Amino acid sequence: MFDLKRRLVPTALLAGLFSAANVAFGGDTVPAETAQRFVIAPDLGVVVESRPDAPAVLRATGRQVDLESQTLWHYMCGSAPDDADLQELRDIAIQASVTADTQPPTRLLSLGRSPLAAGTGLDIVWSVQGSIPTEAATALETVAQYIESKFSDDVTVTINISMFDFGNPNVIGSTGSNYVTVTYPDARDGLVADMDGNDEIQAFLPLGTTVPVRYDGASTTVTAETRVFATRANFNAGMGTTGGSAASMQFNTGFAFDYDPSNGVPGNRMCFQSVAAHEVGHALGFTSGVDFRFNDIEVLDLYRFQWTDGADDYNPDNTGEFQTTTRTASFNSPNDDAISDIIVAEHRMADGSPDQASHFRSGWPAIMDPNLAFGQTFYPEFYREADTDMFDAIGWDYPKIIIPAPITVPPPEGTFKNRYLTFAPGNQVEPVAFQLELVTGPGLPGVLGWIDAPDASGISRVVDAPVIRNWTETVVQVADCEIVPAATYLLRSTPDLVLFSNDLPLQTVLAPSDGRFWGDVVGSFDSIAQEWTGPDQNVTGQDIVAVLQRFQVKPSAPPLTWVDIHPQVPDGAANGPDILQVVNAFSLKPYPFVAPSDCP
């Protein structure tokens, strides 16, 4: 809910704003109790929407909490302030919020996680209200997949999107970012618990229950701050888990956008993709309490200091000083003297005037610069080093951790087989486990289990518990009751059961129309190469001959893994029962084994 301790509008004025039972806006009518959630904060240039408390789970402790929640609505960065009326912004905010709460989106634009993403990972979902131009949809998905490719966090960031003509060509659009309020200890402990292998600075955030902050850069007064405001997306990335959308964005179709920067952006248009990537950056947590609050900080401000040392050494020089130095979150004071500092890098920040403090200083080489110009684009590498430095510091896992995926091996062992799956571990250098999922085929689709280490005969089985190990094998052969003909599988690796690699599709022999797929072990014999071709969706006398050759250990015999199809758990041998099963398949006998879901 909106914090009344440091409210932006006096309570008496707030009560007097809404006296009618219903309030009209933009030709529509909403209940007064709905409209009064939206309060204009003229000194800060925002509209504050109070929200119900958000149930959440803290990452560091697993404790369940209810967090105060609110949405801050503002015009998109770069909109001409003289043309940005806060009453119109309030109307837009009410319309967007009520629509998002009461009407399902007409479509979910997101095509799913980026193909570069590891396993689940970050998912940017555009939840579209109404309709948007096709070129805008393509542009938004380009931005989503780019951002997904940068971070490893297993987080879904849902952003409500609408596009309409604002009636003002100088306004780019508006954004409402959803926030929760976190105690400082919970924020710090979450950021520390979320550290990945390349993180360091989070461990040196101030200890204790408060963080020292100067809210007046002209004074030496220090506030022992007890809380931090975090965008929902930022909270989910670095501190815990809570539901709900991350933000709402409304783009002005009357603004001069260029939707496809791949061929350049003309000087009379603005890069839509760069605008979108910038606004998503704010939703991810690149925001400052200097802009939107009185004497309160946001997560990014935990790294905000005065650039010049001054009399009290306000700029930390090492991690020890970083842990104790007072943060400076002051509007335009000292002038042009703000930085974000992670010790190994220091980035100049805007101070609130003339540019919002939720940005780097104008001209800094980063997309979170406050002044995107007509004709300028950050495409295709939207986020630069300064951007990713600070996203990493506030809890986003960068650089993205890519878990090497298993890979296919070349024929003949890479050929479709009847009762075996074959893969190469993918040059794993760290211990991982391999998870196997059935996609289509006999039995119920779903995760079957984990690949066990090869046994004495060199065969891996499917087991219930993950087997995390260094896979030094060049080729892994998997045979079990779950590995059946005419089925499609997905194989993925994971070092920690949290991050997963991309999926490797694997398939056993294809099923011909005559039903004899379960005896299909080879195709034909190449007399010149003196070798067998892979299964060909037919069961003929050639399949019987091939198993006999293997049984007789003939030089021209096919690999064992092609012809070992018996019993229900293949035994790593080519013998009489295997020959009999191929003969039975040739004779159109029924499949002899039960489905994977009925495995013993």
Side-chain angles (χ1 to χ4, degrees):
M1 67 195 324
F2 181 59
D3 175 41
L4 296 179
K5 176 170 77 86
R6 294 167 177 159
R7 57 183 177 268
L8 306 180
V9 179
T11 304
L13 176 57
L14 177 62
L17 287 175
F18 311 102
S19 56
N22 297 291
V23 177
F25 69 96
D28 295 321
T29 301
V30 297
E33 61 269 21
T34 298
Q36 69 182 15
R37 298 200 328 253
F38 298 79
V39 178
I40 294 174
D43 292 343
L44 299 177
V46 298
V47 172
V48 182
E49 176 190 359
S50 60
R51 283 279 185 177
D53 287 359
V57 177
L58 298 176
R59 178 153 304 154
T61 62
R63 191 172 85 251
Q64 296 184 1
V65 293
D66 289 325
L67 303 178
E68 293 184 353
S69 176
Q70 63 182 202
T71 302
L72 296 187
W73 298 84
H74 57 86
Y75 284 105
M76 286 184 179
C77 307
S79 297
D82 293 341
D83 296 314
D85 181 85
L86 290 181
Q87 185 59 54
E88 291 181 1
L89 176 62
R90 180 174 175 273
D91 290 347
I92 293 169
I94 294 174
Q95 177 70 71
S97 182
V98 170
T99 300
D101 287 346
T102 60
Q103 299 179 19
T106 55
R107 56 179 169 151
L108 290 178
L109 176 65
S110 177
L111 302 179
R113 292 174 172 89
S114 164
L116 298 178
T120 51
L122 175 61
D123 191 12
I124 305 290
V125 176
W126 303 108
S127 180
V128 181
Q129 301 289 346
S131 61
I132 63 174
T134 301
E135 59 269 31
T138 301
L140 288 169
E141 198 56 38
T142 298
V143 171
Q145 293 207 359
Y146 167 80
I147 297 174
E148 290 165 356
S149 74
K150 293 286 126 180
F151 305 107
S152 298
D153 307 81
D154 188 11
V155 173
T156 297
V157 177
T158 301
I159 300 174
N160 302 315
I161 289 290
S162 60
M163 296 189 72
F164 56 90
D165 192 340
F166 280 45
N168 186 336
N170 297 317
V171 174
I172 299 173
S174 59
T175 296
S177 292
N178 298 327
Y179 284 85
V180 292
T181 310
V182 191
T183 68
Y184 170 68
D186 287 341
R188 181 197 185 279
D189 292 348
L191 291 171
V192 171
D194 185 64
M195 292 171 63
D196 59 29
N198 59 43
D199 286 334
E200 178 183 6
I201 194 63
Q202 295 89 340
F204 296 96
L205 288 166
L207 301 173
T209 59
T210 64
V211 57
V213 184
R214 282 194 310 152
Y215 288 115
D216 181 359
S219 168
T220 58
T221 300
V222 176
T223 297
E225 186 56 74
T226 60
R227 66 182 187 176
V228 179
F229 286 81
T231 65
R232 283 183 186 250
N234 192 177
F235 178 84
N236 285 334
M239 285 157 272
T241 304
T242 187
S245 61
S248 294
M249 296 180 189
Q250 300 74 43
F251 290 92
N252 180 11
T253 56
F255 192 80
F257 285 124
D258 181 287
Y259 294 100
D260 181 9
S262 63
N263 56 358
V265 177
N268 61 348
R269 292 192 174 272
M270 188 171 287
C271 176
F272 179 84
Q273 292 187 28
S274 295
V275 171
H278 179 102
E279 293 301 318
V280 172
H282 287 313
L284 298 184
F286 204 104
T287 58
S288 171
V290 174
D291 289 326
F292 305 130
R293 310 183 187 281
F294 289 128
N295 296 345
D296 263 312
I297 58 172
E298 301 188 9
V299 180
L300 186 65
D301 296 323
L302 294 174
Y303 304 92
R304 190 179 185 92
F305 298 90
Q306 184 173 310
W307 182 41
T308 56
D309 279 328
D312 293 304
D313 194 14
Y314 290 124
N315 184 337
D317 299 315
N318 52 55
T319 53
E321 291 186 6
F322 176 88
Q323 193 158 59
T324 58
T325 298
T326 298
R327 277 61 182 163
T328 300
S330 175
F331 177 80
N332 198 33
S333 178
N335 184 44
D336 292 334
D337 206 21
I339 56 169
S340 282
D341 198 334
I342 55 174
I343 301 304
V344 294
E346 191 175 84
H347 302 292
R348 298 291 296 273
M349 301 295 291
D351 61 11
S353 178
D355 300 312
Q356 285 185 335
S358 302
H359 300 93
F360 294 115
R361 190 178 184 182
S362 182
W364 206 252
I367 200 171
M368 300 313 294
D369 174 290
N371 298 308
L372 181 67
F374 284 90
Q376 181 185 9
T377 182
F378 284 82
Y379 175 87
E381 192 64 29
F382 296 104
Y383 293 160
R384 308 298 165 85
E385 183 177 356
D387 301 306
T388 53
D389 275 352
M390 300 318 302
F391 286 131
D392 188 45
I394 64 176
W396 294 95
D397 292 336
Y398 177 88
K400 184 177 185 66
I401 300 172
I402 301 294
I403 308 303
I407 58 177
T408 57
V409 297
E413 291 293 356
T415 304
F416 290 164
K417 290 180 285 293
N418 195 297
R419 298 296 313 283
Y420 279 77
L421 295 176
T422 302
F423 70 93
N427 298 319
Q428 305 291 341
V429 295
E430 299 292 339
V432 296
F434 290 102
Q435 186 182 64
L436 185 67
E437 177 181 351
L438 174 65
V439 179
T440 60
L444 297 175
V447 173
L448 298 175
W450 304 85
I451 306 302
D452 199 1
D455 60 20
S457 62
I459 302 174
S460 290
R461 310 297 182 179
V462 180
V463 294
D464 292 334
V467 178
I468 299 179
R469 63 188 289 267
N470 284 309
W471 295 78
T472 58
E473 294 78 14
T474 304
V475 176
V476 177
Q477 304 282 5
V478 185
D480 212 326
C481 58
E482 290 92 347
I483 313 304
V484 295
T488 302
Y489 301 85
L490 295 177
L491 185 69
R492 60 187 71 93
S493 60
T494 173
D496 54 10
L497 312 188
V498 176
L499 293 175
F500 286 80
S501 72
N502 291 332
D503 294 329
L504 172 66
L506 296 172
Q507 195 167 32
T508 48
V509 294
L510 303 179
S513 58
D514 64 7
R516 292 189 285 186
F517 59 92
W518 57 272
D520 183 17
V521 295
V522 295
S524 60
F525 186 73
D526 186 334
S527 58
I528 298 177
Q530 288 292 295
E531 62 185 25
W532 291 92
T533 60
D536 60 356
Q537 295 182 264
N538 290 291
V539 178
T540 68
Q542 295 281 64
D543 296 283
I544 300 173
V545 171
V547 185
L548 282 168
Q549 285 190 354
R550 187 72 230 183
F551 175 67
Q552 297 169 347
V553 198
K554 294 290 184 68
S556 59
L560 171 68
T561 57
W562 292 22
V563 299
D564 178 24
I565 62 175
H566 182 91
Q568 182 157 336
V569 178
D571 57 7
N575 48 31
D578 297 289
I579 299 170
L580 178 61
Q581 293 304 333
V582 176
V583 171
N584 287 341
F586 178 73
S587 303
L588 290 178
K589 297 287 182 65
Y591 184 65
F593 306 125
V594 297
S597 58
D598 298 320
C599 282

